Short mmCIF file of all heavy atoms in Angstrom, two decimals:
data_model
loop_
_atom_site.label_atom_id
_atom_site.label_comp_id
_atom_site.label_asym_id
_atom_site.label_seq_id
_atom_site.Cartn_x
_atom_site.Cartn_y
_atom_site.Cartn_z
N SER A 1115 35.61 -101.39 43.84
CA SER A 1115 35.87 -100.73 42.65
C SER A 1115 37.12 -99.82 42.85
O SER A 1115 37.31 -99.37 44.02
CB SER A 1115 34.74 -100.01 42.12
OG SER A 1115 34.50 -98.79 42.90
N GLU A 1116 37.80 -99.51 41.74
CA GLU A 1116 39.00 -98.71 41.98
C GLU A 1116 38.67 -97.36 41.50
O GLU A 1116 37.99 -97.09 40.39
CB GLU A 1116 40.11 -99.30 40.96
CG GLU A 1116 41.36 -98.61 41.13
CD GLU A 1116 42.43 -99.27 40.26
OE1 GLU A 1116 42.45 -100.57 40.21
OE2 GLU A 1116 43.28 -98.60 39.63
N SER A 1117 39.11 -96.26 42.19
CA SER A 1117 38.94 -94.91 41.85
C SER A 1117 39.89 -94.52 40.80
O SER A 1117 41.11 -94.94 40.95
CB SER A 1117 38.97 -94.03 43.06
OG SER A 1117 37.90 -94.28 43.99
N THR A 1118 39.51 -93.61 39.87
CA THR A 1118 40.42 -93.07 38.99
C THR A 1118 40.38 -91.66 39.07
O THR A 1118 39.31 -91.04 39.25
CB THR A 1118 40.24 -93.52 37.49
OG1 THR A 1118 38.87 -93.10 37.13
CG2 THR A 1118 40.33 -94.99 37.41
N PHE A 1119 41.46 -90.90 38.93
CA PHE A 1119 41.57 -89.49 39.04
C PHE A 1119 42.07 -89.00 37.73
O PHE A 1119 43.16 -88.56 37.59
CB PHE A 1119 42.47 -89.04 40.16
CG PHE A 1119 41.99 -89.59 41.53
CD1 PHE A 1119 42.52 -90.68 42.03
CD2 PHE A 1119 41.06 -88.85 42.20
CE1 PHE A 1119 42.01 -91.24 43.28
CE2 PHE A 1119 40.58 -89.34 43.44
CZ PHE A 1119 41.00 -90.45 44.04
N ASP A 1120 41.15 -89.10 36.63
CA ASP A 1120 41.57 -88.71 35.31
C ASP A 1120 41.23 -87.34 34.87
O ASP A 1120 41.61 -86.91 33.80
CB ASP A 1120 40.94 -89.75 34.34
CG ASP A 1120 39.48 -89.71 34.43
OD1 ASP A 1120 38.87 -89.12 35.28
OD2 ASP A 1120 38.82 -90.35 33.47
N ALA A 1121 40.55 -86.53 35.69
CA ALA A 1121 40.24 -85.20 35.33
C ALA A 1121 39.75 -84.39 36.58
O ALA A 1121 39.43 -84.92 37.63
CB ALA A 1121 39.05 -85.30 34.32
N CYS A 1122 39.64 -83.07 36.39
CA CYS A 1122 39.14 -82.21 37.45
C CYS A 1122 37.73 -81.77 36.95
O CYS A 1122 37.61 -81.49 35.75
CB CYS A 1122 40.05 -81.07 37.64
SG CYS A 1122 41.60 -81.45 38.37
N TYR A 1123 36.83 -81.58 37.86
CA TYR A 1123 35.51 -81.17 37.49
C TYR A 1123 35.08 -79.92 38.20
O TYR A 1123 35.52 -79.69 39.23
CB TYR A 1123 34.45 -82.34 37.82
CG TYR A 1123 34.86 -83.59 37.09
CD1 TYR A 1123 35.59 -84.51 37.69
CD2 TYR A 1123 34.42 -83.85 35.83
CE1 TYR A 1123 35.96 -85.75 37.10
CE2 TYR A 1123 34.69 -85.05 35.14
CZ TYR A 1123 35.55 -85.98 35.79
OH TYR A 1123 35.79 -87.13 35.17
N VAL A 1124 34.28 -79.13 37.57
CA VAL A 1124 33.83 -77.81 38.08
C VAL A 1124 32.50 -78.14 38.90
O VAL A 1124 31.66 -78.68 38.27
CB VAL A 1124 33.62 -76.82 36.90
CG1 VAL A 1124 32.97 -75.53 37.53
CG2 VAL A 1124 34.88 -76.46 36.19
N CYS A 1125 32.52 -77.63 40.09
CA CYS A 1125 31.33 -77.82 40.87
C CYS A 1125 30.36 -76.75 40.39
O CYS A 1125 30.72 -75.63 40.09
CB CYS A 1125 31.61 -77.61 42.33
SG CYS A 1125 32.64 -78.96 43.00
N PRO A 1126 28.94 -77.03 40.52
CA PRO A 1126 28.07 -76.06 40.06
C PRO A 1126 27.73 -74.97 41.03
O PRO A 1126 28.11 -75.20 42.28
CB PRO A 1126 26.81 -76.98 39.80
CG PRO A 1126 26.92 -77.99 40.75
CD PRO A 1126 28.39 -78.27 40.84
N GLY A 1127 27.13 -73.94 40.62
CA GLY A 1127 26.64 -72.92 41.57
C GLY A 1127 25.78 -73.52 42.67
O GLY A 1127 25.16 -74.60 42.34
N GLY A 1128 25.71 -73.03 43.82
CA GLY A 1128 24.89 -73.60 44.82
C GLY A 1128 25.59 -74.61 45.66
O GLY A 1128 25.08 -75.30 46.51
N THR A 1129 26.88 -74.75 45.38
CA THR A 1129 27.69 -75.68 46.09
C THR A 1129 29.07 -75.04 46.57
O THR A 1129 29.40 -73.97 46.19
CB THR A 1129 28.13 -76.98 45.21
OG1 THR A 1129 28.98 -76.50 44.10
CG2 THR A 1129 26.83 -77.57 44.61
N TYR A 1130 29.71 -75.83 47.39
CA TYR A 1130 31.16 -75.44 47.82
C TYR A 1130 32.00 -76.65 47.66
O TYR A 1130 31.56 -77.79 47.73
CB TYR A 1130 31.21 -74.81 49.21
CG TYR A 1130 30.93 -75.79 50.29
CD1 TYR A 1130 32.00 -76.45 51.01
CD2 TYR A 1130 29.65 -75.99 50.77
CE1 TYR A 1130 31.79 -77.22 52.04
CE2 TYR A 1130 29.42 -76.86 51.88
CZ TYR A 1130 30.56 -77.51 52.54
OH TYR A 1130 30.29 -78.30 53.53
N VAL A 1131 33.28 -76.42 47.43
CA VAL A 1131 34.28 -77.53 47.33
C VAL A 1131 34.79 -77.92 48.65
O VAL A 1131 35.28 -77.13 49.35
CB VAL A 1131 35.41 -77.04 46.36
CG1 VAL A 1131 36.37 -78.20 46.17
CG2 VAL A 1131 34.90 -76.60 45.06
N PHE A 1132 34.53 -79.12 49.03
CA PHE A 1132 34.94 -79.67 50.30
C PHE A 1132 36.31 -80.43 50.21
O PHE A 1132 36.33 -81.41 49.40
CB PHE A 1132 33.83 -80.51 50.92
CG PHE A 1132 34.25 -81.20 52.21
CD1 PHE A 1132 34.32 -80.42 53.40
CD2 PHE A 1132 34.54 -82.53 52.25
CE1 PHE A 1132 34.80 -81.01 54.57
CE2 PHE A 1132 34.98 -83.10 53.46
CZ PHE A 1132 35.07 -82.41 54.62
N ASN A 1133 37.32 -80.05 50.84
CA ASN A 1133 38.51 -80.68 50.85
C ASN A 1133 39.07 -81.07 49.52
O ASN A 1133 39.70 -82.18 49.35
CB ASN A 1133 38.38 -81.93 51.71
CG ASN A 1133 39.66 -82.54 52.29
OD1 ASN A 1133 40.56 -81.78 52.41
ND2 ASN A 1133 39.64 -83.80 52.55
N ASN A 1134 38.83 -80.26 48.54
CA ASN A 1134 39.27 -80.49 47.11
C ASN A 1134 38.84 -81.79 46.67
O ASN A 1134 39.48 -82.46 45.80
CB ASN A 1134 40.82 -80.32 46.93
CG ASN A 1134 41.22 -78.88 47.11
OD1 ASN A 1134 40.49 -77.97 46.68
ND2 ASN A 1134 42.42 -78.69 47.57
N SER A 1135 37.71 -82.41 47.19
CA SER A 1135 37.41 -83.77 46.79
C SER A 1135 35.89 -83.93 46.44
O SER A 1135 35.56 -84.98 45.95
CB SER A 1135 37.85 -84.85 47.85
OG SER A 1135 37.16 -84.48 49.00
N ALA A 1136 35.08 -82.97 46.89
CA ALA A 1136 33.64 -83.20 46.70
C ALA A 1136 32.92 -81.86 46.52
O ALA A 1136 33.35 -80.83 47.09
CB ALA A 1136 33.06 -83.97 47.81
N CYS A 1137 31.87 -81.81 45.78
CA CYS A 1137 30.93 -80.66 45.72
C CYS A 1137 29.80 -80.96 46.78
O CYS A 1137 29.15 -81.98 46.68
CB CYS A 1137 30.29 -80.68 44.24
SG CYS A 1137 31.56 -80.48 42.98
N VAL A 1138 29.60 -79.94 47.62
CA VAL A 1138 28.54 -80.11 48.69
C VAL A 1138 27.63 -78.96 48.55
O VAL A 1138 28.01 -77.83 48.43
CB VAL A 1138 29.27 -80.06 50.03
CG1 VAL A 1138 28.26 -80.15 51.17
CG2 VAL A 1138 30.38 -81.10 50.17
N ASP A 1139 26.26 -79.27 48.62
CA ASP A 1139 25.27 -78.21 48.49
C ASP A 1139 25.34 -77.20 49.61
O ASP A 1139 25.66 -77.65 50.67
CB ASP A 1139 23.89 -78.89 48.55
CG ASP A 1139 23.53 -79.66 47.33
OD1 ASP A 1139 24.24 -79.58 46.29
OD2 ASP A 1139 22.45 -80.30 47.37
N CYS A 1140 25.12 -76.00 49.30
CA CYS A 1140 25.00 -74.98 50.35
C CYS A 1140 23.94 -75.34 51.31
O CYS A 1140 22.78 -75.80 50.86
CB CYS A 1140 24.73 -73.67 49.74
SG CYS A 1140 25.99 -73.02 48.65
N ALA A 1141 24.12 -74.99 52.55
CA ALA A 1141 23.05 -75.32 53.53
C ALA A 1141 22.09 -74.15 53.60
O ALA A 1141 22.27 -73.10 52.98
CB ALA A 1141 23.77 -75.33 55.06
N ILE A 1142 20.98 -74.47 54.25
CA ILE A 1142 19.96 -73.33 54.31
C ILE A 1142 20.40 -72.08 54.86
O ILE A 1142 21.27 -72.01 55.78
CB ILE A 1142 18.80 -73.92 55.28
CG1 ILE A 1142 17.55 -73.05 55.12
CG2 ILE A 1142 19.25 -73.99 56.69
CD1 ILE A 1142 16.31 -73.56 55.69
N GLY A 1143 20.03 -71.02 54.24
CA GLY A 1143 20.50 -69.57 54.59
C GLY A 1143 21.85 -69.24 54.00
O GLY A 1143 22.40 -68.18 54.25
N LYS A 1144 22.33 -70.04 53.15
CA LYS A 1144 23.66 -69.79 52.51
C LYS A 1144 23.53 -70.06 51.04
O LYS A 1144 22.73 -70.75 50.42
CB LYS A 1144 24.85 -70.69 53.02
CG LYS A 1144 25.07 -70.42 54.51
CD LYS A 1144 26.28 -71.22 54.97
CE LYS A 1144 26.70 -70.82 56.37
NZ LYS A 1144 27.90 -71.57 56.80
N TYR A 1145 24.45 -69.39 50.21
CA TYR A 1145 24.36 -69.39 48.78
C TYR A 1145 25.75 -69.28 48.19
O TYR A 1145 26.78 -68.96 48.85
CB TYR A 1145 23.58 -68.25 48.25
CG TYR A 1145 24.19 -66.92 48.31
CD1 TYR A 1145 24.76 -66.34 47.24
CD2 TYR A 1145 24.36 -66.19 49.55
CE1 TYR A 1145 25.34 -65.07 47.22
CE2 TYR A 1145 24.95 -64.98 49.63
CZ TYR A 1145 25.53 -64.45 48.47
OH TYR A 1145 26.13 -63.21 48.49
N ALA A 1146 25.85 -69.64 46.90
CA ALA A 1146 27.08 -69.50 46.11
C ALA A 1146 26.63 -69.33 44.64
O ALA A 1146 26.26 -70.31 44.01
CB ALA A 1146 27.96 -70.70 46.33
N PRO A 1147 26.90 -68.17 44.03
CA PRO A 1147 26.57 -67.99 42.69
C PRO A 1147 27.36 -68.88 41.73
O PRO A 1147 26.86 -69.48 40.81
CB PRO A 1147 26.94 -66.51 42.32
CG PRO A 1147 26.96 -65.95 43.69
CD PRO A 1147 27.39 -66.91 44.70
N THR A 1148 28.60 -69.14 42.14
CA THR A 1148 29.43 -70.12 41.49
C THR A 1148 30.13 -70.90 42.67
O THR A 1148 30.10 -70.35 43.81
CB THR A 1148 30.55 -69.54 40.64
OG1 THR A 1148 31.36 -68.70 41.42
CG2 THR A 1148 29.91 -68.80 39.43
N ALA A 1149 30.55 -72.06 42.39
CA ALA A 1149 31.15 -72.87 43.49
C ALA A 1149 32.28 -72.17 44.26
O ALA A 1149 33.11 -71.42 43.63
CB ALA A 1149 31.67 -74.15 42.98
N VAL A 1150 32.32 -72.14 45.51
CA VAL A 1150 33.32 -71.49 46.34
C VAL A 1150 34.03 -72.59 47.16
O VAL A 1150 33.59 -73.71 47.29
CB VAL A 1150 32.61 -70.40 47.24
CG1 VAL A 1150 32.13 -69.30 46.54
CG2 VAL A 1150 31.68 -71.02 48.17
N ASN A 1151 35.17 -72.20 47.80
CA ASN A 1151 35.91 -73.15 48.59
C ASN A 1151 35.49 -73.08 50.04
O ASN A 1151 35.24 -72.02 50.52
CB ASN A 1151 37.43 -72.85 48.49
CG ASN A 1151 37.91 -73.20 47.08
OD1 ASN A 1151 37.59 -74.26 46.53
ND2 ASN A 1151 38.92 -72.50 46.59
N ASN A 1152 35.48 -74.22 50.70
CA ASN A 1152 35.31 -74.38 52.15
C ASN A 1152 33.94 -74.21 52.68
O ASN A 1152 33.39 -75.03 53.48
CB ASN A 1152 36.28 -73.45 52.92
CG ASN A 1152 37.71 -73.73 52.52
OD1 ASN A 1152 38.16 -74.87 52.44
ND2 ASN A 1152 38.48 -72.74 52.38
N ASP A 1153 33.11 -73.21 52.27
CA ASP A 1153 31.73 -72.92 52.74
C ASP A 1153 31.09 -72.06 51.86
O ASP A 1153 31.67 -71.06 51.27
CB ASP A 1153 31.69 -72.54 54.21
CG ASP A 1153 30.38 -72.71 54.91
OD1 ASP A 1153 29.43 -73.19 54.27
OD2 ASP A 1153 30.29 -72.37 56.07
N CYS A 1154 29.79 -71.96 51.85
CA CYS A 1154 29.02 -71.10 51.10
C CYS A 1154 28.94 -69.67 51.84
O CYS A 1154 29.30 -69.67 52.91
CB CYS A 1154 27.66 -71.61 50.76
SG CYS A 1154 27.63 -73.06 49.79
N ILE A 1155 28.28 -68.70 51.16
CA ILE A 1155 28.26 -67.35 51.78
C ILE A 1155 26.92 -67.25 52.47
O ILE A 1155 25.85 -67.52 51.95
CB ILE A 1155 28.29 -66.28 50.56
CG1 ILE A 1155 29.59 -66.55 49.78
CG2 ILE A 1155 28.18 -64.95 51.13
CD1 ILE A 1155 29.52 -65.96 48.35
N ALA A 1156 26.92 -66.78 53.67
CA ALA A 1156 25.64 -66.53 54.41
C ALA A 1156 24.92 -65.38 53.87
O ALA A 1156 25.48 -64.32 53.62
CB ALA A 1156 25.99 -66.35 55.97
N CYS A 1157 23.60 -65.47 53.81
CA CYS A 1157 22.76 -64.44 53.45
C CYS A 1157 22.76 -63.33 54.53
O CYS A 1157 22.86 -63.77 55.68
CB CYS A 1157 21.24 -64.77 53.26
SG CYS A 1157 20.93 -65.77 51.77
N ASP A 1158 22.62 -62.12 54.21
CA ASP A 1158 22.58 -61.01 55.17
C ASP A 1158 21.18 -60.98 55.83
O ASP A 1158 20.16 -61.50 55.27
CB ASP A 1158 22.87 -59.69 54.57
CG ASP A 1158 24.38 -59.47 54.21
OD1 ASP A 1158 25.27 -60.19 54.89
OD2 ASP A 1158 24.60 -58.75 53.18
N ILE A 1159 21.08 -60.39 57.01
CA ILE A 1159 19.69 -60.19 57.59
C ILE A 1159 18.90 -59.39 56.65
O ILE A 1159 19.36 -58.41 55.95
CB ILE A 1159 19.90 -59.46 58.96
CG1 ILE A 1159 20.62 -60.40 59.97
CG2 ILE A 1159 18.58 -59.03 59.48
CD1 ILE A 1159 20.97 -59.68 61.26
N GLY A 1160 17.60 -59.85 56.45
CA GLY A 1160 16.64 -59.17 55.56
C GLY A 1160 16.77 -59.76 54.21
O GLY A 1160 16.04 -59.30 53.26
N PHE A 1161 17.52 -60.95 53.93
CA PHE A 1161 17.64 -61.64 52.72
C PHE A 1161 17.27 -63.13 52.97
O PHE A 1161 17.48 -63.63 54.01
CB PHE A 1161 18.93 -61.45 52.13
CG PHE A 1161 19.24 -60.18 51.51
CD1 PHE A 1161 19.53 -59.03 52.35
CD2 PHE A 1161 19.12 -59.80 50.18
CE1 PHE A 1161 19.85 -57.74 51.92
CE2 PHE A 1161 19.42 -58.63 49.68
CZ PHE A 1161 19.75 -57.57 50.49
N PHE A 1162 16.90 -63.79 52.02
CA PHE A 1162 16.61 -65.20 52.06
C PHE A 1162 16.90 -65.91 50.85
O PHE A 1162 17.08 -65.34 49.70
CB PHE A 1162 15.02 -65.49 52.43
CG PHE A 1162 14.10 -65.09 51.28
CD1 PHE A 1162 13.56 -66.07 50.47
CD2 PHE A 1162 13.88 -63.78 51.03
CE1 PHE A 1162 12.69 -65.76 49.56
CE2 PHE A 1162 13.01 -63.53 49.97
CZ PHE A 1162 12.35 -64.44 49.25
N THR A 1163 17.13 -67.28 50.92
CA THR A 1163 17.52 -68.03 49.72
C THR A 1163 16.34 -68.59 48.92
O THR A 1163 16.45 -68.73 47.74
CB THR A 1163 18.34 -69.36 50.16
OG1 THR A 1163 17.48 -70.13 50.98
CG2 THR A 1163 19.67 -68.91 50.82
N GLY A 1164 15.19 -68.80 49.55
CA GLY A 1164 14.00 -69.28 48.80
C GLY A 1164 14.08 -70.80 48.45
O GLY A 1164 13.25 -71.32 47.82
N THR A 1165 15.11 -71.44 48.92
CA THR A 1165 15.23 -72.86 48.73
C THR A 1165 15.95 -73.43 49.90
O THR A 1165 16.83 -72.76 50.40
CB THR A 1165 16.02 -73.12 47.28
OG1 THR A 1165 16.04 -74.57 47.15
CG2 THR A 1165 17.40 -72.58 47.34
N PRO A 1166 15.69 -74.68 50.35
CA PRO A 1166 16.31 -75.26 51.44
C PRO A 1166 17.97 -75.49 51.36
O PRO A 1166 18.61 -75.34 52.28
CB PRO A 1166 15.58 -76.58 51.78
CG PRO A 1166 14.52 -76.70 50.77
CD PRO A 1166 14.60 -75.55 49.79
N THR A 1167 18.28 -75.92 50.17
CA THR A 1167 19.76 -76.12 49.84
C THR A 1167 20.14 -75.79 48.50
O THR A 1167 19.27 -75.49 47.67
CB THR A 1167 20.10 -77.62 50.07
OG1 THR A 1167 19.37 -78.46 49.10
CG2 THR A 1167 19.78 -78.15 51.47
N ALA A 1168 21.34 -75.66 48.25
CA ALA A 1168 21.97 -75.46 46.91
C ALA A 1168 21.55 -74.07 46.26
O ALA A 1168 21.34 -73.96 45.04
CB ALA A 1168 21.64 -76.61 46.00
N ALA A 1169 21.30 -73.04 47.04
CA ALA A 1169 20.87 -71.80 46.52
C ALA A 1169 22.07 -71.05 45.81
O ALA A 1169 23.19 -71.20 46.23
CB ALA A 1169 20.42 -70.99 47.73
N THR A 1170 21.71 -70.29 44.75
CA THR A 1170 22.71 -69.56 44.03
C THR A 1170 22.49 -68.00 44.29
O THR A 1170 23.44 -67.26 43.84
CB THR A 1170 22.63 -69.83 42.49
OG1 THR A 1170 21.29 -69.56 41.99
CG2 THR A 1170 22.96 -71.29 42.21
N VAL A 1171 21.46 -67.64 44.93
CA VAL A 1171 21.23 -66.14 45.28
C VAL A 1171 20.57 -66.03 46.55
O VAL A 1171 19.90 -66.89 47.00
CB VAL A 1171 20.53 -65.46 44.06
CG1 VAL A 1171 21.19 -65.44 42.80
CG2 VAL A 1171 19.08 -66.01 43.99
N CYS A 1172 20.74 -64.86 47.08
CA CYS A 1172 19.90 -64.37 48.27
C CYS A 1172 18.99 -63.19 47.73
O CYS A 1172 19.47 -62.42 46.95
CB CYS A 1172 20.71 -63.84 49.36
SG CYS A 1172 21.52 -65.20 50.33
N THR A 1173 17.80 -63.25 48.14
CA THR A 1173 16.78 -62.29 47.64
C THR A 1173 16.30 -61.41 48.80
O THR A 1173 16.11 -61.94 49.96
CB THR A 1173 15.55 -63.00 47.00
OG1 THR A 1173 16.03 -63.78 45.88
CG2 THR A 1173 14.55 -62.05 46.43
N ALA A 1174 16.20 -60.18 48.58
CA ALA A 1174 15.63 -59.23 49.63
C ALA A 1174 14.29 -59.56 50.04
O ALA A 1174 13.42 -59.90 49.21
CB ALA A 1174 15.81 -57.79 49.20
N CYS A 1175 13.90 -59.47 51.26
CA CYS A 1175 12.61 -59.70 51.76
C CYS A 1175 11.69 -58.58 51.29
O CYS A 1175 12.17 -57.37 51.10
CB CYS A 1175 12.60 -59.71 53.28
SG CYS A 1175 13.49 -61.09 54.06
N ASP A 1176 10.46 -58.73 51.08
CA ASP A 1176 9.48 -57.87 50.75
C ASP A 1176 9.37 -56.88 51.97
O ASP A 1176 9.49 -57.17 53.05
CB ASP A 1176 8.07 -58.42 50.50
CG ASP A 1176 8.09 -59.21 49.15
OD1 ASP A 1176 9.00 -58.85 48.27
OD2 ASP A 1176 7.37 -60.14 48.95
N ALA A 1177 8.83 -55.57 51.62
CA ALA A 1177 8.65 -54.62 52.68
C ALA A 1177 7.61 -55.14 53.68
O ALA A 1177 6.71 -55.86 53.34
CB ALA A 1177 8.02 -53.32 52.04
N GLY A 1178 7.90 -54.95 55.01
CA GLY A 1178 7.13 -55.44 56.05
C GLY A 1178 7.40 -56.79 56.52
O GLY A 1178 6.73 -57.43 57.41
N THR A 1179 8.42 -57.48 55.87
CA THR A 1179 8.77 -58.85 56.21
C THR A 1179 10.26 -58.87 56.69
O THR A 1179 10.96 -57.97 56.38
CB THR A 1179 8.51 -59.84 55.16
OG1 THR A 1179 9.39 -59.48 54.05
CG2 THR A 1179 7.05 -59.82 54.71
N SER A 1180 10.69 -59.89 57.33
CA SER A 1180 12.12 -60.00 57.73
C SER A 1180 12.64 -61.37 57.64
O SER A 1180 11.86 -62.35 57.53
CB SER A 1180 12.26 -59.45 59.12
OG SER A 1180 11.62 -60.30 60.13
N SER A 1181 13.90 -61.58 57.74
CA SER A 1181 14.58 -62.81 57.67
C SER A 1181 15.88 -62.75 58.37
O SER A 1181 16.50 -61.59 58.26
CB SER A 1181 14.79 -63.38 56.28
OG SER A 1181 15.44 -64.61 56.34
N TRP A 1182 16.34 -63.67 59.13
CA TRP A 1182 17.76 -63.61 59.70
C TRP A 1182 18.49 -64.71 59.23
O TRP A 1182 19.00 -65.47 60.04
CB TRP A 1182 17.74 -63.35 61.18
CG TRP A 1182 16.72 -64.09 61.94
CD1 TRP A 1182 16.95 -65.11 62.86
CD2 TRP A 1182 15.30 -63.92 62.12
NE1 TRP A 1182 15.89 -65.56 63.58
CE2 TRP A 1182 14.81 -64.83 62.99
CE3 TRP A 1182 14.43 -63.04 61.52
CZ2 TRP A 1182 13.38 -64.84 63.41
CZ3 TRP A 1182 13.10 -63.14 61.82
CH2 TRP A 1182 12.70 -64.05 62.69
N GLY A 1183 18.74 -64.83 57.93
CA GLY A 1183 19.61 -65.77 57.30
C GLY A 1183 18.90 -66.80 56.48
O GLY A 1183 17.67 -66.99 56.39
#
């Protein structure tokens, strides 16, 4: 089949734009509220994504618990 490049598309939150050609889900421990270029943002220590991939937020751990990414 032949590829056509007839439009640009916005990647959703929880993804990053890879090589200006694909939307890739954020990996575990990383997030993107809106699509970002090259790689998603790593959660800080003490925060977690709550989902294995395609996270849009990092959430603070409850008191007495911890996380390192």
